[in-house]
Amino acid sequence: MFWAVLAVIIVAMLFDFTNGFHDAANAIATSVSTRALTPRVALAVAAIGNFVGAHLGGRVAATVGSGIVKLPAGTAGLAIVFAGVVGAIGWNLLTWYFGIPSSSSHALIGGLVGSTVCSFLFDVQGTKVLWGMIVQKVVIPMVVSPITGFVLGALAMLAIMWIFRNGMPGRLNRGFRHAQTVSAVAMSVGHGMQDAAKTMGIVVLALYTGGYQDSATHVPQWVYWTSATMLALGTFSGGARIIRTLGRKIIDLGPAEGFAAEAVASVVLYTATWLKAPISTTHTITSAIMGVGATKKVSAVRWGVAGNIVTAWVLTFPGAGLVAAVTYLILHLF
């Protein structure tokens, strides 16, 4: 049992690391593309923000640990968790390779659901997918958060354009580059609150399923520190492919647009964390960038690239679930 729990914790930390370099772009792409921060400084800011934010994500961790699936105690349940995390890692690496900013959060949840559903084929007793909670805590926020990000991004940009309508462009750009340092920090903390929390939830689920703790919601301090550290290290290793997609391929961002997108995304992330909803930082910042870009003119947004991203969003849940199901099948057979 010890080795089974340890294996799940190790693979969860590997997911946390891939989450960091896959989703690093969420926090810093706009700051890098507008030259508010250099790539290395931006990555350092994002890593520190993720580390701090991870210690504030206990509410989301509780949802992931107890609100997605119910599993049997022992190695049968741990095999399901292990396969689910492997499915999420596989999807993260695939989308990172192609430079597509997909959701690590939904990959993890899709992986858990995929391996749990596959366990039904082998008549594993005590497994259950909590579809009602998934709809309430995952599906509805998955739909609402991008729409909210798009609308608020557009409104924030319109407000900025009206407030500074008589300002000098050069001076405004310098001012918003400084402001982007603050918004990038806020976005990084929000990313840590959401994404490190999902790994913490997986570790708690493994500890609970393996019989090492009695609560499916309590997060030990060492789990906070380990998850925060791995996410920060992954973030600092970078994610240049996705940074290019978010920072340049959707719209051409200026400092004001970058600030508006980051500020709006941060507000949405903090609100979702308070509501215990595990939303996608990728969906949130990408939709905010689209909303900001649409205020220039509709054609300013490269809708072909945006369409490819949305397609990846739709495929993430079933794609990660399929990889997890195949992984579980292999584990069960051997």
Side-chain angles (χ1 to χ4, degrees):
M1 187 64 67
F2 169 79
W3 294 109
V5 171
L6 182 61
V8 173
I9 292 174
I10 289 173
V11 78
M13 292 304 148
L14 178 59
F15 167 78
D16 207 22
F17 185 83
T18 65
N19 190 348
F21 74 71
H22 186 279
D23 287 8
N26 296 340
I28 63 171
T30 58
S31 297
V32 172
S33 64
T34 62
R35 297 179 177 84
L37 297 171
T38 65
R40 190 54 58 181
V41 170
L43 283 169
V45 168
I48 295 170
N50 282 336
F51 185 86
V52 172
H55 290 80
L56 306 174
R59 296 168 70 90
V60 174
T63 298
V64 175
S66 63
I68 305 300
V69 296
K70 284 194 177 299
L71 303 176
T75 55
L78 291 170
I80 294 172
V81 179
F82 183 90
V85 179
V86 169
I89 292 172
W91 188 259
N92 269 359
L93 293 176
L94 180 67
T95 51
W96 167 81
Y97 179 79
F98 289 104
I100 301 171
S102 68
S103 169
S104 296
S105 307
H106 295 148
L108 181 58
I109 294 169
L112 274 179
V113 171
S115 57
T116 303
V117 169
C118 187
S119 72
F120 296 155
L121 301 177
F122 299 97
D123 198 29
V124 177
Q125 300 299 312
T127 59
K128 182 180 180 181
V129 178
L130 303 177
W131 293 111
M133 285 292 289
I134 289 175
V135 170
Q136 179 185 346
K137 293 293 187 180
V138 179
V139 176
I140 292 176
M142 180 174 66
V143 174
V144 171
S145 59
I147 295 173
T148 303
F150 184 91
V151 172
L152 292 182
L155 291 176
M157 193 62 218
L158 288 172
I160 289 172
M161 292 166 64
W162 184 81
I163 293 170
F164 297 101
R165 61 189 181 279
N166 297 322
M168 297 180 63
R171 183 178 298 175
L172 285 178
N173 282 340
R174 286 193 295 273
F176 276 111
R177 283 196 178 97
H178 292 305
Q180 268 199 279
T181 303
V182 178
S183 62
V185 170
M187 181 68 192
S188 300
V189 173
H191 179 250
M193 292 167 68
Q194 278 286 329
D195 285 47
K198 284 128 190 174
T199 299
M200 292 190 293
I202 291 296
V203 174
V204 167
L205 183 59
L207 294 173
Y208 176 73
T209 303
Y212 281 87
Q213 68 179 45
D214 297 328
S215 172
T217 58
H218 172 68
V219 183
Q221 278 299 315
W222 69 266
V223 176
Y224 277 105
W225 283 93
T226 307
S227 300
T229 301
M230 290 303 294
L231 184 67
L233 289 174
T235 299
F236 194 68
S237 69
R241 295 171 185 265
I242 298 172
I243 288 173
R244 285 194 293 270
T245 299
L246 279 179
R248 288 297 179 193
K249 291 185 178 180
I250 299 176
I251 65 167
D252 292 320
L253 288 170
E257 290 90 345
F259 171 78
E262 288 176 341
V264 163
S266 300
V267 170
V268 175
L269 289 173
Y270 293 159
T271 303
T273 302
W274 180 72
L275 294 173
K276 303 181 182 179
I279 68 169
S280 166
T281 55
T282 305
H283 292 192
T284 305
I285 186 61
T286 305
S287 59
I289 290 172
M290 292 179 190
V292 165
T295 60
K296 294 182 175 180
K297 54 182 179 178
V298 175
S299 60
V301 179
R302 299 183 180 94
W303 295 106
V305 175
N308 291 337
I309 293 171
V310 172
T311 300
W313 292 356
V314 173
L315 294 177
T316 292
F317 201 94
L322 180 61
V323 177
V326 171
T327 303
Y328 181 79
L329 179 63
I330 293 171
L331 287 175
H332 191 85
L333 292 177
F334 294 97

